[in-house]
Structure formats: C-alpha cells, structure tokens
C-alpha cells in the first residue's frame, strides 16, 4: 500500500505506510518532534548553562532504542528481562575490540559486526531462557547479564573495570585518525562529527521504530500478543510458542545491538563494564520502557531521553551543610521520577495519548474548570490514605501484628 490520502469516518488521514495512517495534526506534531531532535545540537551549543546537553540526551536516545527492543518482550509476550545490557554491552565491546585490536575504523562495518555479535548473544541467551516464564525468566536473564558483565571485568586484555576505548592506538598516526570514521569524517567527539552522528542516530531510530511498527502489526506480532495473553491457549491454537518467543528475544537483542554500537561510536573513549554491561544498565533500560509507556511504540524512546536528561540535571545539584557538600542528585531524580510515575500511570506517552489519564483530564478541565475542586479533594484523600498505610506498615515492622 503506497503513501497517500485516505478518509476514515469522514476524517482526512495521511497514509505514511501500510497500517500507519495519521491525521494531518498528528503527522505535523510527529515531524515537529523529529525536527526538534535534529536542531537539538545547535540549541545545546547556544544555550550556555541551560541543562540541554548532548551527551546525556544521546545516551538517552540509544538506551531508549534498546528499550524499544525490550518492549517487544514486555508488551507482547509479558516477559520481563533484567539482562538486556548484555546485548547493549556486547555490541559496544565488539566495536571497541574491532577498532583497538583489529584496526577496523569504518563505522558502517563496526555497526554491522556489532549487531551480528549482539544477535548471536541474543540467540544463545534466548535459547537457554526459552523453558522459563515469569519470575524465573527474569532471574535467568539477570544471571546471564551478570555472567556477561564478569567477562570484561576479569580479563585484563579487555581493560578490566576501566574498560576499553575505540581508538586504534597505531604508531605514527595522529590521534584524530585513530577514531572510527564515517565517509572520511573521523568521529573524534568534536562538534561537527558528534552532530553528524547525532543526526544519523535519529534516522536509524526512526527507521527502527517503523520496522518495529510493522513487526507488531504483522501476523507474527499478533501471535506474540496471543502468547502474552495466555501461553497455554496459544499452544492449543497450534502456535509454536517457544519458536516465536525465541524470535522475539533475538529481535529485541538486535535493537540492543544497534543501540550499543551507536553508543560506542559516540562515547568512544569510555566503553567500560559499568556503563554498558552492569545490571543497573539493564534496570535503566527496563525502567525507561515503563517510564515512557510500555504499551506504546514511541514511549520507551521518549522515556530514555527524559530519564537521562533528568538524571544529568539532578547530578549537578549539591547541598552545602555543616558536614560539607552533599550530592543529592539521585535523591532528586528518584523523587521526580516518582512524581512522573504517579502523574503518568500509563507512562509519559501512554498518558498523553487519547484515552490516557492526562489527555482525558485536560479535556475534562477545559470543558469544566470546576472539576479542580473534586480533584483536589480526591488527591488529598489519596495522600492521607497513603500516609496512614505507611504509618501502619512502620508500626507493624516495629511492634509486630496485634
């Protein structure tokens, strides 16, 4: 089906691709959001001390892309993985090894090889996780993630806890020419190369989202939905459940691999286990998917940018007291994220779309501003109930059940 105009219930829609039809307003908003991402590097360069920094936004973009892959499992097969950093880190380390030990500098080759490595890793881990469901599936993925994390930590040739960098280290070559290159441009972390890589990443993210859209709308995606709702029933319907879940696991690993390769090209001097393979990275990817809205396509990507930007802004906050300066960034990040979770129960994108709590609340407020009074009373009662429950829990912990 080719792009074009169509009408549904008398409403004009623009067909972007098969199955993707948007109203002119939604298409305009979508193009505006993509355009905003393209000009973000220029905005960051011209906003001085404002908290618009490219590095955390870029990290949020690639972690968000990994979360889009994880979301295929989370949303459609009802499986929670705590080990997706294994694919992200495998791709990042493969990129660094290819550059530093094999002197491969072509960014295209590096991305392709890194994706292949992440795919093989996902194929292997997916095979061993197939017999498990629910909590045991989560624990097995967590165990594999920790196992993969321990490999570079214990091998000094891979840099141990310090990690590797993606520079060739060739003698007689300038430092600039030791970085990976893309079409003759060395990705050395300077302004122009970083901006080009940022733009390429946006294009890859958009393409990856469109591919994921087609996957979840295909018969394969429908089968995953059936498996997620009730595995036994799907099996009785004749679906090869294990084969489908394995395929979904591998696809989610490919997304992690793309994200890891792009991360390694941008952060080429800091590829270490802590920032790529640690269990907290897996936790971040999972949290990002939920924060952005795991029942939406774009939510995990948006969640990645919001999460990393908030974390970066909060990391600058320092309180000075009698005992000296204290960093309270994590405390503030946790508090703000809690507020977001309560305010956006379906995730940021899920709550803002038609039918979401925030979207419907704004519509109701515009129709009848008097709803603020009942809302305030309801919020107050809810807060009081939460405090009462917390006090009861503390009493039970201290004094026991009476």
């Amino acid at each position: 089906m080719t792009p074009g105009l169509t009408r549904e219930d008398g409403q004009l829609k623009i067909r972007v691709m098969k199955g993707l039809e948007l109203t002119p307003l939604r298409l305009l908003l979508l193009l505006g959001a993509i355009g905003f991402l393209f000009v973000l590097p220029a905005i960051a360069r011209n906003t001085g001390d404002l908290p618009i920094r490219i590095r955390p936004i870029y990290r949020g973009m690639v972690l968000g892309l990994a979360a889009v892959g994880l979301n295929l499992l989370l949303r459609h097969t009802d499986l929670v993985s705590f080990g997706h950093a294994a694919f992200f880190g495998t791709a990042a380390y493969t990129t660094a090894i290819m550059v530093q030990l094999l002197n491969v500098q072509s960014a295209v080759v590096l991305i392709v090889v890194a994706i292949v490595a992440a795919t093989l890793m996902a194929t292997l881990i997916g095979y061993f996780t197939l017999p498990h469901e629910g909590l045991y599936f989560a624990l097995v993925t967590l165990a594999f993630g920790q196992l993969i994390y321990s490999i570079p930590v214990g091998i000094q040739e891979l840099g141990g806890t310090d990690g590797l960098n993606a520079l060739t280290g060739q003698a007689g070559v300038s430092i600039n020419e030791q970085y990976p290159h893309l079409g003759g441009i060395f990705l050395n972390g300077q302004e122009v190369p970083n901006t080009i890589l940022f733009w390429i990443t946006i294009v890859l993210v958009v393409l990856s989202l469109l591919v994921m859209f087609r996957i979840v709308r295909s018969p394969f995606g429908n089968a995953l939905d059936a498996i997620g709702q009730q595995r036994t029933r799907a099996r009785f319907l004749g679906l090869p459940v294990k084969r489908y879940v394995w395929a979904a696991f591998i696809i989610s690993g490919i997304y992690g691999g793309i994200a890891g390769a792009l991360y390694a090209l941008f952060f080429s001097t800091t590829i270490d286990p802590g920032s790529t393979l640690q269990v907290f990275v897996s936790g971040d990817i999972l949290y990002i998917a939920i924060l952005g809205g795991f029942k939406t396509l774009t939510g995990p990507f948006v969640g990645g940018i919001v999460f990393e930007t908030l974390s970066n802004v909060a990391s600058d906050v320092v309180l000075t007291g009698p005992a000296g300066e204290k960093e309270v960034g994590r405390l503030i990040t946790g508090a703000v994220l809690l507020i977001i979770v309560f305010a956006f129960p379906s995730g940021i994108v899920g709550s803002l779309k038609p039918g979401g709590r925030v979207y419907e609340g704004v519509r109701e407020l515009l129709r009848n501003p008097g709803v603020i009074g009942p809302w305030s009373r309801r919020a107050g009662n809810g807060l009081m109930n939460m405090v009462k429950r917390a006090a009861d829990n503390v009493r039970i912990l201290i004094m026991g059940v009476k």
Side-chain angles (χ1 to χ4, degrees):
M1 193 175 289
T2 57
L5 300 177
T6 183
R7 283 193 177 276
E8 185 177 320
D9 297 330
Q11 188 177 30
L12 178 65
K13 289 193 173 181
I14 300 169
R15 190 189 309 115
V16 180
M17 58 186 286
K18 183 180 180 182
L20 181 57
E21 295 172 352
L22 301 171
T23 62
L25 177 60
R26 293 189 69 180
L27 180 61
L28 190 62
L29 290 173
L30 185 61
L31 292 176
I34 295 172
F36 178 71
L37 285 177
F38 270 99
V39 299
L40 259 179
I43 294 175
R45 284 196 297 272
N46 295 288
T47 49
D49 295 330
L50 287 178
I52 301 175
R53 298 164 189 165
I54 286 304
R55 290 175 70 85
I57 292 174
Y58 188 86
R59 180 177 163 82
M61 285 170 54
V62 293
L63 286 181
L65 180 58
V68 170
L70 171 65
N71 205 31
L72 183 65
L73 289 176
L74 188 62
R75 178 184 180 187
H76 299 280
T77 65
D78 200 29
L79 292 172
V80 178
S81 169
F82 283 105
H84 262 51
F87 316 127
F88 183 82
T90 295
Y93 263 88
T94 300
T95 304
I97 291 169
M98 292 281 290
V99 177
Q100 192 174 115
L101 303 182
L102 303 178
N103 294 331
V104 177
Q105 290 180 272
S106 167
V108 175
V109 174
L110 291 171
I111 290 174
V112 170
V113 175
I115 293 172
V116 170
T119 304
L120 292 175
M121 185 63 74
T123 304
L124 182 66
I125 296 178
Y127 178 79
F128 287 105
T129 57
L130 280 180
H132 306 286
E133 300 176 37
L135 178 62
Y136 293 101
F137 177 87
L139 290 176
V140 172
T141 56
L142 174 64
F144 271 108
Q146 286 298 93
L147 178 65
I148 303 302
Y149 167 76
S150 69
I151 293 174
V153 170
I155 299 177
Q156 287 307 309
E157 286 75 9
L158 295 180
T161 55
D162 293 333
L164 296 173
N165 58 50
L167 278 71
T168 62
Q170 289 176 296
V173 176
S174 70
I175 184 67
N176 182 59
E177 295 177 348
Q178 294 182 21
Y179 285 87
H181 61 73
L182 184 66
I185 299 174
F186 288 96
L187 304 174
N188 57 7
Q190 298 300 312
E191 184 178 302
V192 172
N194 266 4
T195 300
I196 292 173
L197 185 56
F198 195 92
W199 290 344
I200 290 172
T201 301
I202 295 170
V203 173
L204 289 176
V205 166
V206 172
L207 291 175
S208 300
L209 287 171
L210 291 175
V211 170
M212 184 59 75
F213 177 82
R214 288 301 308 143
I215 290 173
V216 299
R217 294 297 183 94
S218 68
F220 172 73
N222 295 333
L224 293 182
D225 284 332
I227 293 169
Q229 291 169 11
Q230 176 53 258
R231 273 200 181 205
T232 304
R233 185 171 58 198
R235 199 172 288 119
F236 277 125
L237 288 172
L239 291 175
V241 172
K242 286 188 177 180
R243 195 187 310 164
Y244 275 49
V245 171
W246 194 13
F249 196 91
I250 294 170
I251 293 171
S252 70
I254 291 173
Y255 275 70
I258 299 171
L262 293 171
Y263 174 92
L265 292 176
F266 196 90
F267 298 93
S268 51
T269 57
T270 53
I271 303 166
D272 59 82
S275 58
T276 59
L277 283 166
Q278 203 174 36
V279 64
F280 294 117
V281 179
S282 293
D284 286 348
I285 294 172
L286 178 60
Y287 186 79
I288 282 168
I290 297 171
L291 176 69
F294 75 93
K295 292 187 176 179
T296 65
L297 178 69
T298 56
F301 177 69
V302 174
I305 295 176
V306 172
F307 178 80
E308 284 296 325
T309 303
L310 276 177
S311 300
N312 183 261
V313 171
S315 66
D316 292 341
V317 180
V318 176
L319 289 182
T320 304
E325 293 186 341
K326 294 286 185 185
E327 291 185 3
V328 292
R330 289 188 178 276
L331 177 66
I332 294 175
T333 303
V336 172
L337 291 176
L338 270 178
I339 292 171
I340 291 177
V341 168
F342 280 113
F344 300 88
S346 304
I348 297 171
V349 175
S351 297
L352 292 175
K353 63 187 295 190
R357 178 189 284 187
V358 175
Y359 180 89
E360 297 302 329
V362 171
R363 287 188 63 186
E364 189 177 353
L365 180 63
L366 292 175
R367 283 198 303 265
N368 177 22
V371 296
I372 290 181
W375 285 359
S376 301
R377 286 193 292 276
R378 200 186 310 161
N381 291 335
L383 185 61
M384 290 300 295
N385 288 333
M386 286 175 56
V387 172
K388 186 174 180 301
R389 283 200 300 272
D392 287 342
N393 290 335
V394 172
R395 179 182 60 76
I396 291 170
L397 285 172
I398 296 174
M399 305 178 65
V401 179
K402 291 184 178 178

